Amino acid sequence: MKKLKVGIVGAGKIAEVLHVPNTLLSEYAELVAIADPNPQRLEYFKKKLESHRINFYVDYREMFQKESMDAVIVAVPNTLHAEISIAALESGRNVLVEKPMATNSQEALKMIEAAKKSKKVLMVNHSQRFFPHHQRAKEVVQSGILGEIRLVKTMFGHAGPENWSPNAAWFFNKDVAMFGALGDLGVHKVDLIRYITGLDIVQCVGLTATLEKRASVEDVASAVLKLSNSALATLDSNWITKGLEENYFVVYGEKGTMKVGQTDPTKIDIYLDRPFRMHGEIVLKPLFTNEDPYWKMPIIDHFAKVCLGLEEPIVKPEDGYIAVKVVEKIFESYKKGQVVSIE
């Protein structure tokens, strides 16, 4: 079977725990090259992967010119997502880009246009769609046992990227990251709200603050979102959660409640009141956290299968665009001090 030849741009922590190991283990993909301007990170991967035939580059442009690759994984600071993704698409490669897709919705649209023009796959790594918990939660909502959705509560918070990444300084610099905790963590929950509920986000009001980090971006962000069925959703994201990682999704429906990752990371708790009272649970593997040295997830396999024409994409480029658009609107709401609509 033909394997998808993959190059990775960016040798940071997300490449270390997700993209590199999952590409090496994939039955459908083959890692051929890594590019990163940081010589220390390249040296780290050279030693770690010395038993594999992988080429290393300081400049991703040289990698694009010299390597026979089918696809590129873009895992770099946010402001480079659009530039490198578009360059890869224009060179005839499929692209898997880290979230947030871009630093603004206009950049995201340019990426989508480049993908259409090149007729290549563009996928955004909204990785939480691939958690078994969230896929099962979507099935529960679709089954109708919770009834009409009334309220959604989402939360994603930890102590900050400096406790995880060896090169975390860029996360705190607005010129490089554009967003803080909202773009890093909250964007996952923005996407999950749409994925699990099947509803659109039509209005938002938000607040952000920088309380602890020496940063030009927010380390705390909260928003209330109005959904297309008039239900509300709350979104909390931060880099100030101490002692644990909070990562949950709760749905309150007309017939019952579902809690994902709130009471126990191994369970989906379901509480139904009509037509009879029932409490139940779905037991799964624990959710991944930043404490895990390696995230065994099917993202690379799925991306490769989509590129090889074997599967339809779970994440479409428009999903990445909408997530960025909502994050933009939350900031707009904060600046204006009012509720704003989302087209």
Side-chain angles (χ1 to χ4, degrees):
M1 180 188 71
K2 178 188 175 183
K3 284 192 173 186
L4 192 79
K5 292 185 177 180
V6 176
I8 298 177
V9 182
K13 189 69 173 184
I14 194 67
E16 180 182 340
V17 301
L18 179 61
H19 299 305
V20 169
N22 282 287
T23 305
L24 291 175
L25 290 172
S26 176
E27 296 179 21
Y28 303 91
E30 175 188 357
L31 181 59
V32 297
I34 298 174
D36 195 293
N38 185 326
Q40 286 79 27
R41 290 301 291 173
L42 282 185
E43 189 59 33
Y44 170 82
F45 277 104
K46 283 180 183 178
K47 291 180 180 179
K48 190 179 181 73
L49 305 174
E50 60 184 357
S51 62
H52 299 272
R53 298 178 61 184
I54 298 170
N55 297 320
F56 295 88
Y57 298 87
V58 173
D59 192 328
Y60 75 86
R61 299 173 189 85
E62 183 182 3
M63 182 177 79
F64 285 5
Q65 291 174 352
K66 292 185 176 180
E67 293 291 336
S68 175
M69 300 180 302
D70 305 304
V72 175
I73 297 172
V74 180
V76 295
N78 300 341
T79 52
L80 295 172
H81 285 185
E83 172 191 321
I84 297 175
S85 296
I86 290 171
L89 291 164
E90 290 179 343
S91 72
R93 275 77 179 229
N94 303 289
V95 170
L96 173 65
V97 60
E98 266 303 321
K99 56 75 201 168
M101 181 179 184
T103 55
N104 60 70
S105 55
Q106 290 304 308
E107 281 186 345
L109 287 175
K110 290 178 181 177
M111 295 163 70
I112 292 172
E113 184 59 33
K116 288 179 179 177
K117 190 173 182 179
S118 65
K119 297 181 180 179
K120 293 297 177 180
V121 172
L122 171 61
M123 188 179 298
V124 184
N125 185 27
H126 280 298
S127 57
Q128 292 207 359
R129 289 193 180 206
F130 293 84
F131 285 13
H133 302 67
H134 298 144
Q135 292 181 346
R136 290 297 298 275
K138 182 179 178 70
E139 292 173 2
V140 170
V141 170
Q142 289 178 332
S143 76
I145 65 170
L146 301 179
E148 183 78 9
I149 292 173
R150 304 300 195 209
L151 177 67
V152 175
K153 285 176 57 179
T154 65
M155 170 74 174
F156 197 0
H158 55 55
E162 74 275 25
N163 299 289
W164 179 66
S165 171
N167 300 293
W170 71 265
F171 281 92
F172 306 111
N173 184 346
K174 186 177 178 67
D175 292 336
V176 183
M178 183 57 71
F179 313 118
L182 181 58
D184 179 38
L185 305 181
V187 72
H188 277 300
K189 298 309 182 187
V190 169
D191 183 64
L192 272 187
I193 289 168
R194 295 182 58 249
Y195 176 68
I196 291 177
T197 69
L199 300 169
D200 290 322
I201 300 168
V202 297
Q203 284 184 315
C204 69
V205 60
L207 288 170
T208 71
T210 306
L211 303 178
E212 293 188 359
K213 309 301 182 186
R214 297 182 62 183
S216 52
V217 294
E218 78 287 350
D219 57 16
V220 179
S222 295
V224 178
L225 312 172
K226 188 172 185 178
L227 307 183
S228 51
N229 71 338
S230 296
L232 298 182
T234 63
L235 184 156
D236 291 290
S237 58
N238 71 72
W239 289 334
I240 63 168
T241 299
K242 309 299 193 304
L244 79 164
E245 181 172 302
E246 289 273 65
N247 188 357
Y248 63 74
F249 194 101
V250 183
V251 177
Y252 299 89
E254 61 174 326
K255 298 178 182 178
T257 301
M258 174 179 66
K259 297 187 175 186
V260 184
Q262 190 182 45
T263 60
D264 185 325
T266 68
K267 296 177 182 176
I268 296 175
D269 296 292
I270 299 173
Y271 309 86
L272 298 180
D273 198 43
R274 292 181 298 173
F276 55 90
R277 189 168 188 82
M278 183 275 280
H279 293 181
E281 61 186 35
I282 299 171
V283 180
L284 297 148
K285 292 181 180 179
L287 289 166
F288 293 106
T289 74
N290 284 354
E291 299 298 318
D292 294 301
Y294 158 49
W295 303 343
K296 188 175 182 181
M297 299 178 70
I299 294 164
I300 303 302
D301 270 354
H302 174 67
F303 172 63
K305 288 178 183 178
V306 172
C307 294
L308 295 169
L310 302 175
E311 287 185 358
E312 290 298 313
I314 291 175
V315 185
K316 296 180 180 178
E318 290 77 13
D319 296 315
Y321 161 76
I322 292 170
V324 171
K325 185 77 171 178
V326 173
V327 168
E328 276 184 335
K329 289 294 184 178
I330 292 171
F331 281 111
E332 181 183 329
S333 166
Y334 171 50
K335 290 175 183 176
K336 290 182 175 179
Q338 64 186 46
V339 176
V340 298
S341 297
I342 302 167
E343 300 82 9

